């Protein structure tokens, strides 16, 4: 098998999907990523299905111009609203983050009481509940939308007292529900892991779908004969694109990723 040196395309509304990119870099280090953060149109969480589908189609179109061999929708909202339709339109593999997250939560829970936090769109879609019930029909799934988390993360306010205060308010209901597992159902939320973990306490296991998504991607690349068996050549590195505010993105990305990115290239996504 010669392998395939083309990059993996990945997208989110902003920096959140970098939590998935980080896991892909750790677990499939031979692969090159082309990442797009839709920083001009973030947040996605309160927007309609039609809008998210239109945005996702444009981004997929852009990623195809970068000659990607597969696409990871590193955004729960786009995974919930657009993944299935786009999969039908594409001739390369595409995966999302919701199914992997649901699978880990089912393996984790002991009392069958699973909480999910995410954007309004993800929670309203009911997709986590659907996937969880396919695996564990008796599971109780309690969803809670946390719309202010994404702007707080995009502003880099990861441990700010305002963030702690909001987290306390959002999570109060879930704490009363005796869940033993909580899915971080938005790719921005793993960045708030320590705040969320402290509030929920030791008895609740936090599930970050990013790791499982990276493993799912690895399996898919192996199955389809798409792995880059030669590894990254010297000087070849991941590439980052945004639709706005490239400097802010670069700063946050440099805190999150195992290497410094020299810059993020701004493109006009409305042209795609
Ligand atoms: N990080 C994305 C998600 O996982 C989008 C959040 C947003 O833009 O509202 O849903």
């Amino acid at each position: 098998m010669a392998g395939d040196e083309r990059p993996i395309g990945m997208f989110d509304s902003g920096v959140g999907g970098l939590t998935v990119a980080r896991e892909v870099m750790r677990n499939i280090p031979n692969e090159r990523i082309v990442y797009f953060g839709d920083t001009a149109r973030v947040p996605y969480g309160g927007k309609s299905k039609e809008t998210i589908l239109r945005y996702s189609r444009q981004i997929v179109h852009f990623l195809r111009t970068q000659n990607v061999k597969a696409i990871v929708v590193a955004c729960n909202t786009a995974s919930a609203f657009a993944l299935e339709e786009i999969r039908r339109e594409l001739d390369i593999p595409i995966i999302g983050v919701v199914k992997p997250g649901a699978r880990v939560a089912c393996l984790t829970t002991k009392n069958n009481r699973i909480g999910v936090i995410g954007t309004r769109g993800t929670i309203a879609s009911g997709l986590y509940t659907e996937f969880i019930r396919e695996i564990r029909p008796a599971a109780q799934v309690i969803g809670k939308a946390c719309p202010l988390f994404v702007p707080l993360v995009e502003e880099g306010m990861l441990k700010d007292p305002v963030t702690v205060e909001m987290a306390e308010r959002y999570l109060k209901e879930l704490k009363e529900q005796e869940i033993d597992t909580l899915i971080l159902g938005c790719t921005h939320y793993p960045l708030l892991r320590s705040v969320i973990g402290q509030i929920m306490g030791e008895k609740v296991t936090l599930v970050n779908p990013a790791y499982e998504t990276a493993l799912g991607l690895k399996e898919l690349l192996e199955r389809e004969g798409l792995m880059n068996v030669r590894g990254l050549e010297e000087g070849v590195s991941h590439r980052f694109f945004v639709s706005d505010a490239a400097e802010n993105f670069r700063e946050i990305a440099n805190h999150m990723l195992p290497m410094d990115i020299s810059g993020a290239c701004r493109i006009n996504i409305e042209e795609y």
Side-chain angles (χ1 to χ4, degrees):
M1 179 65 59
D4 193 325
E5 290 169 36
R6 289 177 299 164
I8 308 286
M10 194 177 282
F11 74 92
D12 178 46
S13 60
V15 295
L18 294 173
T19 59
V20 181
R22 165 167 89 176
E23 291 302 327
V24 170
M25 289 172 191
R26 275 184 198 141
N27 292 285
I28 341 178
N30 277 2
E31 300 298 331
R32 187 159 69 86
I33 296 171
V34 174
Y35 184 95
F36 177 77
D38 201 357
T39 45
R41 305 187 293 196
V42 66
Y44 278 11
K47 296 190 169 78
S48 68
K49 181 181 162 98
E50 291 68 36
T51 300
I52 300 302
L53 190 54
R54 182 169 72 81
Y55 289 177
S56 302
R57 281 196 176 113
Q58 286 177 325
I59 297 165
V60 165
H61 186 196
F62 162 70
L63 290 173
R64 300 237 42 193
T65 67
Q66 301 298 303
N67 195 27
V68 299
K69 60 184 170 187
I71 293 176
V72 179
V73 183
C75 169
N76 288 261
T77 314
S79 298
F81 281 164
L83 178 62
E84 284 315 312
E85 256 133 307
I86 288 181
R87 181 174 280 141
R88 283 196 288 274
E89 298 163 5
L90 266 187
D91 57 357
I92 56 170
I94 182 164
I95 61 167
V97 285
V98 175
K99 207 169 223 174
R103 209 179 305 128
V104 199
C106 289
L107 293 172
T108 308
T109 185
K110 302 236 161 22
N111 72 358
N112 260 345
R113 297 183 66 76
I114 300 171
V116 185
I117 50 174
T119 65
R120 283 208 180 95
T122 301
I123 299 303
S125 78
L127 203 60
Y128 269 108
T129 310
E130 198 181 307
F131 287 147
I132 289 168
R133 292 259 174 80
E134 277 173 16
I135 304 171
R136 274 188 179 253
Q140 295 294 311
V141 184
I142 300 115
K144 174 78 188 166
C146 307
L148 289 177
F149 278 172
V150 168
L152 289 166
V153 170
E154 290 286 329
E155 287 301 322
M157 295 167 70
L158 305 185
K159 290 184 177 150
D160 193 276
V162 173
T163 308
V164 176
E165 163 71 25
M166 279 322 300
E168 270 163 1
R169 283 207 220 173
Y170 283 143
L171 300 173
K172 186 169 181 285
E173 247 174 84
L174 286 172
K175 280 194 78 168
E176 289 160 5
Q177 296 281 344
E178 297 191 350
I179 55 167
D180 71 350
T181 304
L182 178 62
I183 303 174
L184 305 178
C186 170
T187 53
H188 284 73
Y189 298 179
L191 294 166
L192 303 176
R193 191 181 187 112
S194 68
V195 169
I196 295 169
Q198 245 161 37
I199 295 171
M200 294 310 292
E202 280 169 7
K203 289 189 185 133
V204 177
T205 306
L206 303 185
V207 168
N208 172 6
Y211 173 67
E212 196 74 10
T213 303
L215 297 190
L217 175 66
K218 190 173 181 193
E219 265 171 44
L220 181 141
L221 296 177
E222 279 165 354
R223 200 171 56 236
E224 303 281 330
L226 292 173
M227 287 292 267
N228 181 356
V229 286
R230 286 179 55 192
L232 296 185
E233 276 174 39
E234 185 122 351
V236 174
S237 60
H238 309 292
R239 295 198 68 193
F240 300 87
F241 294 86
V242 290
S243 46
D244 207 352
E247 187 49 32
N248 188 40
F249 178 92
R250 192 189 65 85
E251 251 174 53
I252 300 181
N254 282 342
H255 277 115
M256 289 172 63
L257 297 176
M259 77 292 178
D260 266 11
I261 68 165
S262 54
C265 181
R266 184 175 160 197
I267 59 156
N268 181 1
I269 195 65
E270 294 288 357
E271 281 173 4
Y272 290 88

